Amino acid sequence: MEDLARLFGRIPDWIRWVLVPITAAITAVLVWFLGGIAAKIIVFFSAGRGWGENFFEYLIIPGLGSAFSVVTAVSMAPRYRNMTGLVLGIVWLFLAGGVTFFSILSGIWANLISVGSVCVGTGIAVLNTYSEPLIDQAPSALPTDVSADQKDCL
């Protein structure tokens, strides 16, 4: 991982910002393509005894594609990684909302499973890319010797 950071560090920042959406799109397409092939292989070797192809196509692959897309884009960003992950997560949720709208209009209800998978995968990836905690978890930061009039303020 350190070699990858050193390699990315050699690329100028403006090129890295240009590569952020390209990296996200290429990662999503590759995960969907390779995941589809892997799903067909797994279903073939399970001979109908395991998970069906729809399980991978509608549930696993969309969630992994959106999650890996966010993670790779955040790793390509030179600065503002938290904001980059959040913005890309919002873009994925916007796309999922569009798919939801058209799925309801066309009556293809199976796509709603993919929408849920994308939302969960994106949420997990965005929360995973945050480098600092979202909530201060140090209750010991409160003073222990508090006077009577200071207790009213707490």
Side-chain angles (χ1 to χ4, degrees):
M1 193 70 175
E2 193 173 297
D3 295 331
L4 186 62
R6 195 175 329 123
L7 175 70
F8 285 163
R10 293 181 184 164
I11 302 172
D13 286 353
W14 69 272
I15 293 177
R16 288 177 68 181
W17 281 118
V18 170
L19 289 176
V20 165
I22 295 169
T23 304
I26 289 174
T27 302
V29 169
L30 279 176
V31 168
W32 258 291
F33 178 72
L34 296 176
I37 291 172
K40 290 183 188 324
I41 291 170
I42 291 171
V43 169
F44 176 76
F45 283 123
S46 68
R49 291 171 284 147
W51 299 103
E53 191 173 340
N54 287 340
F55 173 75
F56 295 101
E57 181 180 343
Y58 290 110
L59 189 64
I60 300 298
I61 296 172
L64 288 177
S66 62
F68 285 137
S69 171
V70 170
V71 170
T72 56
V74 166
S75 66
M76 181 58 75
R79 290 185 305 271
Y80 309 114
R81 292 172 186 258
N82 296 343
M83 188 59 67
T84 303
L86 188 63
V87 167
L88 192 59
I90 290 170
V91 167
W92 272 109
L93 294 179
F94 180 75
L95 291 173
V99 171
T100 302
F101 178 74
F102 288 114
S103 295
I104 290 173
L105 284 180
S106 64
I108 303 173
W109 302 105
N111 287 341
L112 296 178
I113 298 171
S114 297
V115 168
S117 175
V118 165
C119 292
V120 169
T122 301
I124 290 171
V126 168
L127 290 176
N128 194 25
T129 58
Y130 269 83
S131 58
E132 67 267 356
L134 297 175
I135 301 171
D136 185 20
Q137 300 176 1
S140 62
L142 294 174
T144 55
D145 55 335
V146 179
S147 66
D149 42 328
Q150 288 177 341
K151 285 184 182 178
D152 295 333
C153 295
L154 293 176

